[in-house]
């Protein structure tokens, strides 16, 4: 296990404890929260890198969400999200060739409008672990964390199922365009 993987796991554990505490505190503060209303989802998309010479990677991920409260025109939820690279992005710069990948773990506050077609906005905290391999050698590996924002939209299907498209800012150079299925 690399030092970076260990650091990400430690950060993920700390974030999970914090999210669990937030869920517990939220559940005690609001009578209308019901853990039976948890929803789950899967997503796939392009992790788009704006650094010159870096191509897009493909990540898959999962979410777990909990509705917190209803509003006049929508609802507020909490979502936890984990993504990992399944197809690494190419790196090609001045004859140097390689690949890059990123794993993300995030917690978001989410506003979703009402209706069969809906708008979604989210803001939260994200931890990322990225690595770059050049000519078969690991040249960079590091973790970072910070604020993450996203917007999207979706369509409600029967039985509480939904299809969503989202655009999420991972950091200043990386954005995630994804399509997901929630149930």
């Amino acid at each position: 296990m690399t030092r970076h993987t260990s650091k990400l796991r430690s950060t993920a554990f700390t974030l999970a404890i914090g999210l669990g505490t937030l869920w517990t505190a939220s559940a005690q503060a609001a009578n209308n929260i019901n853990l039976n209303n948890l929803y789950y989802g899967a997503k796939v998309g392009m992790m788009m890198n704006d650094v010159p010479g870096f191509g897009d990677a493909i990540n898959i991920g999962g979410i777990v969400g909990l509705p917190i409260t209803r509003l006049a025109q929508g609802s507020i939820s909490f979502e936890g999200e984990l993504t990992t690279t399944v197809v690494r992005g190419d790196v090609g710069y001045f004859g140097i060739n390689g690949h890059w990948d990123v794993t993300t773990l995030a917690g978001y506050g989410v506003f979703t409008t009402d209706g069969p077609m809906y708008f979604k906005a989210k803001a939260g905290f994200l931890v990322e672990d990225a690595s770059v391999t050049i000519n078969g050698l690991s040249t960079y590996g590091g973790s970072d964390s910070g604020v993450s924002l996203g917007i999207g939209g979706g369509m409600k299907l029967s039985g509480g199922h939904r299809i969503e498209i989202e655009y999420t800012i991972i950091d200043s150079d990386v954005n995630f365009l994804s399509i997901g299925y929630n149930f």
Side-chain angles (χ1 to χ4, degrees), residues 46-62:
M46 291 188 335
M47 202 59 81
M48 302 176 295
N49 197 322
D50 294 336
V51 175
F54 280 66
D56 298 336
I58 297 176
N59 275 39
I60 62 169

Side-chain angles (χ1 to χ4, degrees), residues 166-177:
E166 288 184 356
Y167 180 82
T168 306
I169 299 169
I170 303 301
D171 68 24
S172 61
D173 295 324
V174 179
N175 302 300
F176 186 42
L177 179 62

Side-chain angles (χ1 to χ4, degrees), residues 51-171:
V51 175
F54 280 66
D56 298 336
I58 297 176
N59 275 39
I60 62 169
I63 67 163
V64 175
L66 176 66
I68 302 294
T69 190
R70 295 276 317 139
L71 303 173
Q73 300 297 317
S75 63
I76 302 286
S77 299
F78 176 80
E79 287 184 0
E81 178 179 299
L82 173 68
T83 75
T84 192
T85 301
V86 292
V87 177
R88 296 181 301 169
D90 290 331
V91 175
Y93 201 68
F94 294 114
I96 298 172
N97 296 307
H99 296 70
W100 73 278
D101 60 72
V102 63
T103 298
T104 64
L105 177 67
Y108 295 104
V110 179
F111 170 74
T112 306
T113 60
D114 284 334
M117 302 287 283
Y118 58 90
F119 169 78
K120 177 179 183 178
K122 64 183 185 178
F125 183 77
L126 180 132
V127 177
E128 64 178 291
D129 186 38
S131 66
V132 177
T133 303
I134 302 291
N135 295 330
L137 300 173
S138 180
T139 59
Y140 171 80
S143 295
D144 196 8
S145 60
V147 173
S148 176
L149 304 170
I151 59 170
M155 182 172 68
K156 293 179 182 175
L157 306 171
S158 64
H161 298 248
R162 298 177 288 169
I163 295 175
E164 292 184 345
I165 296 175
E166 288 184 356
Y167 180 82
T168 306
I169 299 169
I170 303 301
D171 68 24

